[in-house]
Amino acid sequence: MARPVAQIDWTPATQANEAAAQYVQTGAVDDELQETEAQIARATHELEVRLDAIHVDMHKAHESHKHARSTCARIRSDVGFVFDARRERAQAVATTRPVRKDHDPTLYYTRTMDPQATHQLPQIVCIGDSLTQHGWDVGKRGWTAQLAQTYLRRMDVVNRGLSGFNTRWAKHTVPRIISTQNIRLVCILFGSNDAQFAPGKYHVPVDEFTDNLRDITRMVAGARVLLVTPPPVADRLYESLFEGPADRCCEGTRLYADAVRTLAEELRIPCVDLWTAMETTATSTNTPLDSFLWDGLHLNANGNDLLFNLLLQAIKSNYPELNPDSMPFVVPGHLDFANLDELTHMLAHFTKSQ
């Protein structure tokens, strides 16, 4: 007969194991807490160091600001002294010499010479929007810069390009920024901004554009005039500048180029057809309009070269007396006189001829 198996009570051992495990776990938590406290202490120390550095930098910046303000105050004082001295000198001249009736006294203080003795060269005035304003950009062989180089010591080239302007704004502005006294030739180039889609800020309807351009032309009556058509728009390149639809297009601008041609024919004024020349050249050479326009709207070096050559050709054909190849220097060249007496005599003749 089998002997009965003794029943073992494992409860005390189980309780002991649970207590041991709890002790070990509690000890691990204590270790983690200690490590976390150490990390917090290190981070706090680093933050305090950074704050101290920021305080030092703020103090240095404050001292630099004080020094800058002191320097600006000294410069303003120096400039004010120079301006006062110049104004006093100008007022003294004004009391002893006659002043022209058309002289603006507000400009007197910026001059070091008596305006009565200032004789300007004949002028070529270029009026337009950013296509004209950017004409001074020698990095893109700007067309007005090329004109100025071509007419050195023969005529002054005056750039009155107004970036972002349309003809509606320009016809109220142009009379304030040009003087017709010495103008021999005026180049007028508008249309690219007027052609913005309605109801855009720059949009001007074609009929109003034509009337505005006619008014601007009349403002320079007596001078020779060249009307220039706006160039085409390279739609794909120009549209890439916008997240949505572009604000103007090639076909829309074409209407304004047509209007310039029509007005030129009406007024019997030579027209420099930049639109047709650019379109024809692009087609004949199988090149895109992008090759003339750096952003699809404004002229790059190739576009400026094209416009400059068209203008020079138009001048020679329509106003041969202004052909730079046949115009002498208005101020004597250094090889034309032997001494100061001869130069003085030649300058006197130049003064009387102006």
Side-chain angles (χ1 to χ4, degrees):
M1 183 173 180
R3 298 177 62 183
V5 178
Q7 298 294 323
I8 300 175
D9 186 4
W10 296 99
T11 302
T14 301
Q15 292 175 348
N17 287 335
E18 292 177 351
Q22 184 176 4
Y23 176 79
V24 171
Q25 184 177 5
T26 302
V29 170
D30 289 341
D31 291 341
E32 291 180 359
L33 288 175
Q34 291 177 0
E35 178 62 25
T36 301
E37 290 175 352
Q39 292 177 356
I40 293 174
R42 287 195 297 272
T44 302
H45 176 70
E46 292 178 359
L47 181 60
E48 290 176 349
V49 171
R50 292 181 181 179
L51 286 174
D52 290 341
I54 290 174
H55 289 154
V56 172
D57 291 341
M58 290 178 62
H59 177 72
K60 291 180 179 179
H62 178 69
E63 292 299 320
S64 298
H65 180 66
K66 288 172 57 179
H67 177 71
R69 291 184 61 183
S70 175
T71 302
C72 289
R74 185 170 62 255
I75 292 174
R76 282 196 298 267
S77 176
D78 294 343
V79 170
F81 174 79
V82 172
F83 181 80
D84 290 342
R86 181 174 292 178
R87 179 171 55 189
E88 291 175 0
R89 184 166 61 252
Q91 289 173 340
V93 172
T95 58
T96 57
R97 296 181 181 178
V99 179
R100 296 194 310 264
K101 293 181 180 179
D102 62 344
H103 174 57
D104 183 356
T106 61
L107 302 178
Y108 209 178
Y109 306 138
T110 63
R111 296 176 177 174
T112 57
M113 295 177 60
D114 179 5
Q116 194 78 348
T118 300
H119 302 277
Q120 297 178 335
L121 300 184
Q123 294 179 349
I124 298 176
V125 178
C126 304
I127 302 172
D129 48 33
S130 54
L131 293 173
T132 300
Q133 180 173 316
H134 295 176
W136 279 137
D137 188 348
V138 294
K140 295 185 176 68
R141 297 202 294 270
W143 63 275
T144 61
Q146 293 194 58
L147 275 179
Q149 175 65 32
T150 302
Y151 281 95
L152 277 174
R153 296 177 67 174
R154 296 175 175 89
M155 290 197 288
D156 286 338
V157 175
V158 179
N159 187 319
R160 288 295 181 262
L162 303 168
S163 180
F165 268 54
N166 56 30
T167 54
R168 180 183 297 158
W169 305 334
K171 79 171 186 177
H172 293 285
T173 308
V174 167
R176 303 173 183 270
I177 59 175
I178 66 171
S179 170
T180 59
Q181 183 177 2
N182 294 301
I183 296 179
R184 298 295 184 270
L185 175 67
V186 180
C187 304
I188 303 175
L189 170 54
F190 282 105
S192 294
N193 290 328
D194 301 71
Q196 185 189 43
F197 297 143
K201 170 182 176 181
Y202 310 102
H203 173 74
V204 174
V206 175
D207 290 343
E208 182 187 346
F209 167 77
T210 303
D211 292 338
N212 293 338
L213 201 57
R214 185 184 293 107
D215 290 341
I216 294 172
T217 303
R218 288 171 177 167
M219 294 173 189
V220 292
R224 302 161 184 83
V225 176
L226 291 174
L227 286 178
V228 186
T229 66
V233 178
D235 286 333
R236 184 175 300 179
L237 177 58
Y238 187 65
E239 288 170 359
S240 67
L241 305 177
F242 296 82
E243 294 182 359
D247 64 349
R248 69 200 79 186
C249 70
C250 190
E251 286 306 309
T253 307
R254 183 190 297 274
L255 301 176
Y256 293 79
D258 293 341
V260 173
R261 295 189 206 95
T262 302
L263 180 63
E265 184 176 354
E266 171 196 325
L267 300 178
R268 297 182 180 180
I269 292 175
C271 178
V272 177
D273 196 349
L274 177 59
W275 176 287
T276 300
M278 190 174 293
E279 198 173 49
T280 302
T281 304
T283 301
S284 62
T285 58
N286 196 26
T287 56
L289 291 173
D290 302 12
S291 60
F292 299 99
L293 306 160
W294 65 267
D295 62 349
L297 183 66
H298 299 97
L299 303 175
N300 61 15
N302 293 332
N304 278 304
D305 285 345
L306 178 61
L307 177 53
F308 166 71
N309 288 323
L310 289 172
L311 285 168
L312 204 56
Q313 180 181 350
I315 292 171
K316 292 178 179 180
S317 300
N318 297 280
Y319 306 120
E321 67 277 12
L322 299 182
N323 184 345
D325 297 333
S326 58
M327 291 182 67
F329 284 168
V330 293
V331 176
H334 65 93
L335 298 178
D336 296 333
F337 56 89
N339 51 49
L340 179 59
D341 290 338
E342 290 186 9
L343 172 61
T344 303
H345 175 75
M346 297 174 79
L347 288 176
H349 174 73
F350 159 69
T351 300
K352 293 177 181 179
S353 66
Q354 296 301 303

